[in-house]
């Protein structure tokens, strides 16, 4: 009997001891998950004024401060994250740990490389090493601005076909450049009060459409409304976004028409007039049934999808290669009549609020860049995420430098190049936005209104509306009020 009791005692001990042992391990792991520490510094270098993210176990301390070499940074937001346990302080337990991600603005009083620390609860914790980024070198080589096409910017307002430097343009409202260097412009002629489509190629300028009275048909018989944007597809055909009026109800609406590069025949590609039975200002679906409201610009991506800056509808529209119109970041509100909710808010899909997008361009990397007067933004079509790159909706003074502090006067064009940079027109200057270095600087034109060729910093433009480039890397500018096409060459 005694032997049976002894055996039972041994069995119970063998079961109870692991329970105590496991409980002890659980306490240790729980202690590790509670202890403060830094998991990650999102960027080890940035410009002053940039926003970076610091992730760690800070217990949401009320007295938390982040110091860059002793200079306190401003905390502008915090959210919760689950991240892998990679820091030594989190080397036990499960594969993830709950941390806080703080958005922090790099203080403007620091220089060089320094240590970042976190202080709370009377203790100081190391965050990491941080370096203040320096402005990138400007364009290597020399930038020269010349007149590529057009003559006599101070002469009489008229349109005249001729050789490059003898031809005359009207007010160049917009322009598109094919990879092979062929240029198409939309000119407004004061004398006829009409828009004309011009082709600049093989050393000559010629009018290929406009001046008629029809919506469709041979180019010379077609009347264009107010031309807002142009694009060229992979076959070289031209697409024109125009604002016009319904002849019965006099409602303003937008159309996109196609101009055949060879026959110069014009046909409606997308859009229609509003009718009195419409219950929405934004109608998706087949391209000829969809409605647009004051298109600002259009652009094709590499897959043949067209993106539309629908200014009047406060959103970005997409026309698929199959001809279906959708609104990937629009939230439609219906109260008797349906319209898109507007505002100024980045985010994903239905979170996004836009206000009057004007210029748009799809890049080779699949991203779509667009402008809202004085703000440059990016759309990721895969995730439907919209992110502000630079500029502020309430600041309209052109001030260039680190993107976090860059402001624009009035963005009129956006053109991503093959190197991942973005060219924009702002006021009377052509800017280069370096997305890698996160810096904006003047490529040509110091902002002064006028007409002057020469080095980039000395050149002058007068109300430029568009910038584009060919496959050889030549940049062209539609100098609207000078009625010229200017060329920017980087030597």
């Amino acid at each position: 009997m005694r032997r049976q009791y002894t055996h039972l005692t041994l069995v119970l001990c063998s079961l109870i001891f692991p329970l105590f042992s496991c409980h002890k391990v659980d306490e240790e792991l729980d202690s590790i998950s509670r202890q403060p520490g830094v998991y990650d510094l999102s960027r080890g270098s940035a410009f002053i004024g940039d926003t970076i993210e610091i992730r760690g176990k800070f217990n949401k301390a009320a007295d938390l401060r982040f110091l860059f070499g002793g200079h306190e940074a401003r905390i502008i937001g915090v959210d919760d994250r689950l991240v892998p346990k990679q820091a030594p302080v989190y080397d036990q337990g499960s594969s993830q740990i709950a941390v806080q991600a703080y958005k922090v603005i790099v203080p403007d009083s620091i220089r060089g490389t320094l240590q970042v620390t976190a202080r709370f609860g009377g203790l100081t914790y190391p965050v990491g090493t941080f370096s203040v980024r320096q402005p990138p070198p400007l364009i290597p080589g020399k930038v020269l601005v010349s007149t590529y096409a057009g003559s006599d910017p101070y002469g009489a307002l008229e349109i005249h076909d001729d050789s490059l430097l003898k031809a005359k343009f009207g007010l160049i409202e917009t322009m598109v450049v094919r990879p092979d260097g062929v240029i198409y412009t939309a000119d407004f002629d004061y004398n006829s009060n009409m828009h004309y489509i011009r082709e600049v190629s093989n050393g000559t300028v010629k009018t290929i459409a406009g001046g008629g009275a029809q919506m469709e048909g041979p180019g010379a018989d077609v009347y264009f409304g107010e031309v807002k944007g142009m694009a060229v597809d992979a076959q070289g055909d031209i697409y024109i976004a125009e604002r016009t009026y319904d002849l019965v109800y006099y409602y303003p609406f937008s159309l996109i028409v196609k101009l055949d590069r060879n026959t110069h025949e014009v046909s409606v590609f997308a859009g229609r007039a509003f009718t009195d039975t419409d219950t929405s200002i934004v109608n998706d679906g087949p391209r000829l049934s969809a409605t647009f409201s004051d298109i600002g610009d259009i652009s094709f991506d590499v897959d043949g999808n067209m993106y539309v800056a629908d200014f009047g509808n406060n959103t970005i529209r997409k026309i698929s290669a199959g001809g279906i119109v959708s609104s990937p970041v629009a939230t439609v509100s219906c109260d008797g009549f349906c319209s898109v909710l507007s505002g100024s808010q980045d985010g994903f899909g239905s979170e996004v609020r836009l206000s009057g997008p004007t210029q748009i361009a799809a890049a080779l990397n699949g991203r779509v860049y667009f402008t809202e007067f004085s703000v440059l933004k990016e759309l990721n079509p895969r995730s439907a995420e919209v992110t502000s790159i630079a500029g502020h909706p309430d600041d309209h003074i052109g001030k260039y430098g680190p993107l976090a502090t860059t402001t624009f006067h009035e963005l009129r064009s956006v053109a991503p190049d093959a190197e991942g940079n973005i060219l924009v027109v702002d006021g009377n200057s052509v800017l280069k936005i370096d997305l890698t270095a996160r810096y904006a600087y003047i490529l040509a034109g110091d902002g002064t209104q006028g007409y002057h060729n020469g080095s980039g910093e000395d050149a002058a433009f007068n109300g430029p509306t568009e910038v584009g480039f060919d496959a050889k890397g030549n940049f062209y500018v539609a100098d609207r009020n000078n009625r010229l096409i200017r060329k920017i060459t980087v030597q």
Side-chain angles (χ1 to χ4, degrees), residues 32-42 53-61 64 66 78-84 87 89-90 97-103 118 120 125-127:
I32 288 170
S33 68
R34 286 199 309 268
Q35 64 180 306
V38 175
Y39 168 74
D40 185 32
L41 177 66
S42 68
E53 192 174 84
I54 300 177
R55 295 181 285 267
K57 198 72 178 179
F58 303 113
N59 301 336
K60 294 187 177 179
L64 175 63
F66 292 109
V78 60
D79 58 40
D80 295 316
R81 300 280 177 85
L82 285 174
V83 298
V89 72
Y90 304 132
I97 192 167
V99 301
Q100 295 85 51
Y102 283 86
K103 295 187 183 302
F120 63 99
Y125 301 89
V127 171

Side-chain angles (χ1 to χ4, degrees), residues 27 98 220:
E27 285 183 338

Side-chain angles (χ1 to χ4, degrees), residues 328-331 344-354 384-386:
V329 294
T331 298
S344 181
Q345 180 176 310
D346 294 348
F348 293 86
S350 60
E351 300 173 348
V352 176
R353 300 289 183 270
L354 303 179
E385 180 184 15
V386 170

Side-chain angles (χ1 to χ4, degrees), residues 46-114:
F47 291 108
I48 56 175
D50 272 354
T51 300
I52 66 172
E53 192 174 84
I54 300 177
R55 295 181 285 267
K57 198 72 178 179
F58 303 113
N59 301 336
K60 294 187 177 179
D63 61 342
L64 175 63
R65 300 165 61 206
F66 292 109
L67 303 174
F68 287 65
H71 297 272
E72 185 172 354
R74 183 159 61 96
I75 298 173
I76 60 172
V78 60
D79 58 40
D80 295 316
R81 300 280 177 85
L82 285 174
V83 298
K85 292 182 179 178
Q86 294 177 356
V89 72
Y90 304 132
D91 60 359
Q92 301 182 51
S94 63
S95 61
Q96 289 186 321
I97 192 167
V99 301
Q100 295 85 51
Y102 283 86
K103 295 187 183 302
V104 176
I105 295 179
V106 178
D108 60 7
S109 53
I110 62 175
R111 299 290 184 273
T113 300
L114 34 79

Side-chain angles (χ1 to χ4, degrees), residues 10 100 109 115 129-130 136 149 200 204 219 247 293 303-304 308 313 340 378 386 393 396 405 433 447 451 476 481:
L10 290 173
Q100 295 85 51
S109 53
Q115 295 297 316
T129 302
F130 182 85
V200 184
T204 62
L247 297 179
S293 178
D303 296 321
V308 181
N313 275 320
V340 177
E378 175 188 273
V386 170
H396 309 307
T405 57
I433 311 296
Y451 169 59
Y476 301 92
N481 297 336

Side-chain angles (χ1 to χ4, degrees), residues 135-432:
L138 299 187
I139 299 291
K142 190 175 183 180
V143 178
L144 295 176
V145 177
S146 60
T147 297
Y148 179 72
S151 63
D152 192 10
Y154 304 111
L157 290 171
E158 61 178 325
I159 288 178
H160 172 67
D161 292 348
D162 210 319
S163 61
L164 290 181
L165 296 178
K166 291 182 179 180
K168 293 182 182 297
F169 291 90
L171 297 174
I172 306 176
E173 302 295 350
T174 187
M175 173 189 77
V176 63
V177 183
R178 286 192 341 207
D180 61 2
V182 175
I183 299 173
Y184 298 100
T185 67
D187 298 12
F188 177 72
D189 177 41
Y190 264 122
N191 296 319
S192 62
N193 199 35
M194 290 186 176
H195 285 82
Y196 296 85
I197 307 302
R198 320 283 297 285
E199 178 182 289
V200 184
S201 64
N202 299 319
T204 62
V205 179
K206 60 181 179 181
T207 302
I208 61 174
Q214 301 175 185
M215 183 176 291
E216 300 178 280
D221 296 338
V222 170
Y223 171 84
F224 294 101
E226 184 181 357
V227 177
K228 293 295 194 75
M230 300 175 71
V232 175
D233 66 12
Q235 290 71 45
D237 293 324
I238 307 102
Y239 295 76
I240 301 154
E242 58 174 315
R243 186 174 189 264
T244 187
Y245 289 86
D246 179 82
L247 297 179
V248 177
Y249 301 102
Y250 295 100
Y251 294 147
F253 69 99
S254 283
L255 286 177
I256 301 172
V257 298
K258 177 182 177 181
L259 172 59
D260 188 283
R261 62 174 292 189
N262 296 314
T263 66
H264 299 160
E265 189 82 9
V266 176
S267 59
V268 175
F269 173 72
R272 63 172 174 82
F274 294 102
T275 69
D276 54 2
T277 60
D278 279 319
T279 59
S280 175
I281 195 173
V282 52
N283 296 288
D284 291 337
R287 56 185 169 85
L288 292 175
S289 301
T291 56
F292 302 91
S293 178
D294 199 3
I295 295 173
D297 196 14
I298 54 178
S299 179
F300 281 101
D301 68 10
V302 294
D303 296 321
N305 304 302
M306 178 186 285
Y307 287 88
V308 181
D310 196 343
F311 177 89
N313 275 320
N314 296 302
T315 194
I316 303 298
R317 314 286 292 282
K318 176 183 176 181
I319 307 177
S320 70
I324 302 300
V325 179
S326 60
S327 304
V329 294
T331 298
V332 178
S333 174
C334 298
D335 184 11
F337 194 80
C338 300
S339 60
V340 177
L341 296 179
S342 63
S344 181
Q345 180 176 310
D346 294 348
F348 293 86
S350 60
E351 300 173 348
V352 176
R353 300 289 183 270
L354 303 179
S355 181
T358 51
Q359 302 298 308
I360 196 166
L364 294 177
N365 63 6
R367 302 300 174 91
V368 177
Y369 300 95
F370 65 96
T371 66
E372 286 183 312
F373 190 69
S374 60
V375 182
L376 176 62
K377 296 193 172 187
E378 175 188 273
L379 165 65
N380 182 346
R382 289 184 177 275
S383 63
E385 180 184 15
V386 170
T387 307
S388 294
I389 296 174
H392 193 278
D394 298 324
D395 195 339
H396 309 307
I397 298 176
K399 184 179 66 175
Y400 315 125
L403 295 187
T405 57
T406 287
T407 55
F408 302 107
H409 169 60
E410 180 184 357
L411 292 169
R412 298 198 194 101
S413 176
V414 54
D417 68 16
E419 298 176 353
N421 306 300
I422 302 176
L423 302 178
V424 300
V425 171
D426 187 37
N428 288 304
S429 298
V430 178
L431 311 180
K432 180 177 179 180

